Amino acid sequence: MFADVILPVPFDSFTYLVPPHMETRVMRGCRVVVPFGKSKIYTGVVIATHHRQPQGIEVKDIIEALDDSPVVSEQQFTFWQWIAKYYICPLGDVMKAALPGAMKPKDDAALRETSKKRQKRNSETADQTAHTLNPLSLAQQTAMQEIEASFQTKNVTLLHGVTSSGKTEIYMHLIQKCISQGKQVLYLLPEIALTTQITNRLRHVFGDQMGVYHSKFTDAQRLDIYRRQASPHPHMLMLGVRSSIFLPFQRLGLIIVDEEHEQTYKQQEPAPRYHARNAAIMLAHMCGAKTLLGTATPSFEVFHLAHKQRYGYVTLTQRYRDMQLPTIEVVDTKEAKRKKLMKGPFSPRLIEVISDALSRNEQIILFQNRRGFANFIQCHQCGWVPRCPHCDVTLTLHRKVSTLTCHYCGYTTRIPTQCPACEEQKFDSIGTGTEKIEDLIPTLFPHATALRMDLDTAKTRLQHERIIDAFAHHRADILIGTQMVTKGLDFDNVSVVGILDADLMLNLPDFRSHERAFQTLSQVAGRAGRKNRPGHVILQTRSANSDIIRQITAGDYWQMFLTQMSERQLFRYPPFCRLICIYLRHRDSRLLDHLAADLGQRLRTVFGDRILGPDCPPVSRIHSLHIRKIMLKLEHQAPIDQVRQALLAIQHQLTAQPIAKNLNIYYDVDPL
Ligand code: ADP
Ligand code: ZN
Ligand code: ZN
């Protein structure tokens, strides 16, 4: 007997011989230990057993069979295979993402031991008491009824509700209903950073029925949860980040995707480059479950389908208890700059509003979507700019730690004492990061204390929680941060939000930049005045009279959608077509150019002018690997199976050439 085994390497599967004494234990879905290459030993999952002797290759024996019954269910296999096909990546990569790292043999015995102990402790300490669901307001009740009604005819429904309209309260009622019918719920969040506040809220109501799953857990913890979900007594509610879609589910009834528009739902690196929201919709479909997508600012992909009535659509336009949405005041920094009134990135108006809030003992959030001190430094005399030796980017100045750092590969070096080109000793710092803003606070607001939250100060979950906790307890007046401060944070005493430079987001060379700016800036604005008074947002921009700024200040999603969609239609971008990006990577840029041109030509013979490129992406070298990109624009009705087969066939033609030996190719389907 032979077994096809998925291994944690970028291939679909490998065939092994099953020794006769193992034949009863080697089944589809069970783990086996196998030799690989010259000296490696891997654990893999059997995907099939058969009697077809592979031709022309040496077949090795399975070393050990680990399970008596499958650890990967049929439903999971179907899901894995869908991911592999849709996102054009090997099953081995999907398995690596799907199974907790600890499902390897050496740790197994030890893990079982600790796992038992931990489960015992958990069941002793867990808060079993389920409390005080809040009764829903009238508007919330109506929304809930509309959601349930739409689920009668649709598998997916979008809940489009302004921030603080009580979407989470509605989720909790739906979850309770689902659980009471004996069905499981998966609640997806875009980021670990968001889990703490939500976990506390849900734990209060669902107690030990709820489990939490994310990548910052240890392998042992993740294995525990995986096992429990496959056991006869799984958590009925699972709260998790994108990888939790790979957990085993037995009777899934509902998936909630909170903040569905968030980019972090898409895995960028490594493969599988899946979108957890889209994969969740497929998973729900496979399990006969429903999907609820919630957000205040829907992604175009989702809103478009809701608009076409493929998805159900439910809105909440009022905040809970009719609290006011914040007023957004636009400050034209072009004007202020011309009159030389700016103090660094602060306009006089922003300084005034912050000072007023401080005098009332209220707190302030300042948003700047760039970390570090300055974007880069430049020789005062000749204009020389230090760049990363491994990547095609400038180095970012981090002044507190006196370094220049590459935000792509982490390369770090000391700030030079003199310019290597002209020996000048003075450098100018260009652009403003969160660190520079923090630096200016003591000068501008001598009595205020500030905290900074970005990738440098909140590297770990604990650091992140500490900052939030300190700010929530008013141990600082001002919180300065990147994207991190925009998300799901709920502070009582914040009356002012300052957006220092909206143009940073608007001017990105990306067809989604306006959609994203609208989403992010609405989110950050929503942090102002959440509890008892309306908030005040100051939005600084050099394009005060643009449509997009008007749409953001008016909170007019619909106008923004219409404006942007007409451009997308004109230039054929999603959601009017589908994109597949084909990336090529190689150390040698000239060889890479040659191979990329070759691939482009081959692809054009099949796909014609649907192929764009090859081009250099905005950052065309990372970690010493040069990168080229070819884009495929497909009609929605394109036969996706055939497209994938054609792409792979052409890839194999290309890579069969000896010069393509060290070429790396991968696909990014529905790139963000
Ligand atoms: P969203 O998820 O739409 O941002 P939340 O569910 O977080 O809104 O609600 C915002 C705030 O209002 C929270 O503090 C929440 O506890 C409160 N809230 C919303 N609906 C209710 C309700 N029906 N009863 C009590 N409090 C509510
Ligand atoms: Zn110089
Ligand atoms: Zn670098």
Side-chain angles (χ1 to χ4, degrees), residues 3-9 11-16 25-34 42-49 62 64-67 69-74 76-77 80 91-92 94-96 98-100 103-105 226:
D4 295 341
V5 181
I6 311 173
L7 297 179
V9 290
F11 291 91
D12 282 334
S13 66
F14 297 85
T15 304
Y16 287 86
R25 292 186 78 218
V26 173
M27 292 174 268
R28 179 167 156 96
C30 291
R31 291 170 308 153
V32 289
V33 181
V34 295
Y42 280 137
T43 305
V45 171
V46 176
I47 186 168
T49 54
I62 290 177
E64 194 186 346
L66 293 177
D67 303 307
S69 58
V71 296
V72 177
S73 67
E74 284 307 313
Q76 282 174 289
F77 270 127
W80 289 14
L91 271 174
V94 180
M95 183 185 77
K96 263 207 289 197
L99 290 185
M103 285 194 127
K104 290 175 190 137
Y226 190 95

Side-chain angles (χ1 to χ4, degrees), residues 460-476:
T460 67
R461 196 172 135 90
L462 196 67
Q463 289 173 324
H464 186 268
E465 276 170 21
R466 279 205 189 120
I467 295 172
I468 292 176
D469 192 63
F471 193 62
H473 288 93
H474 205 154
R475 290 200 287 275

Side-chain angles (χ1 to χ4, degrees), residues 379-384 419-424 426-427:
C379 168
H380 186 68
Q381 183 157 323
C382 77
W384 175 81
C419 170
C422 74
E423 298 184 356
E424 164 69 46
K426 187 166 180 267
F427 289 92

